Amino acid sequence: MKYVIIETSEVDSIDFDQVGETSSDTLCFSADGSKTFVKYEGGQPSFLSGKTEYTHSEILTILATDEWTPPDPE
């Protein structure tokens, strides 16, 4: 699996037939709602052309940051 982070403003350009998510309702968003990501197998879909690809371990590291997982308020 490969992963690409995109801006929330780009959600309308996602071709859900080419990624692992089925609709905008199944996307995970950053803590501030400004970013999301998609996953796919094989070659990078054309609508993601030029975007940075991440491996599974790389995306897990990114998603563990405060940008994606806000600190526990307690």
Side-chain angles (χ1 to χ4, degrees):
M1 240 356 132
K2 297 174 188 167
Y3 302 80
V4 170
I5 296 172
I6 62 171
E7 299 293 321
T8 303
S9 61
E10 298 174 274
V11 168
D12 289 342
S13 71
I14 298 172
D15 180 347
F16 288 100
D17 291 332
Q18 297 183 41
V19 297
E21 295 72 26
T22 56
S23 73
S24 59
D25 295 332
T26 61
L27 296 171
C28 295
F29 292 89
S30 59
D32 68 2
S34 68
K35 297 177 184 174
T36 187
F37 65 94
V38 293
K39 62 184 177 225
Y40 54 90
E41 293 186 76
Q44 190 176 62
S46 60
F47 70 90
L48 296 172
S49 181
K51 303 245 184 239
T52 302
E53 290 182 331
Y54 299 97
T55 64
H56 186 252
S57 61
E58 289 171 330
I59 200 73
L60 288 179
T61 299
I62 292 167
L63 296 179
T65 65
D66 289 348
E67 181 178 12
W68 290 89
T69 307
D72 191 343
E74 293 182 21

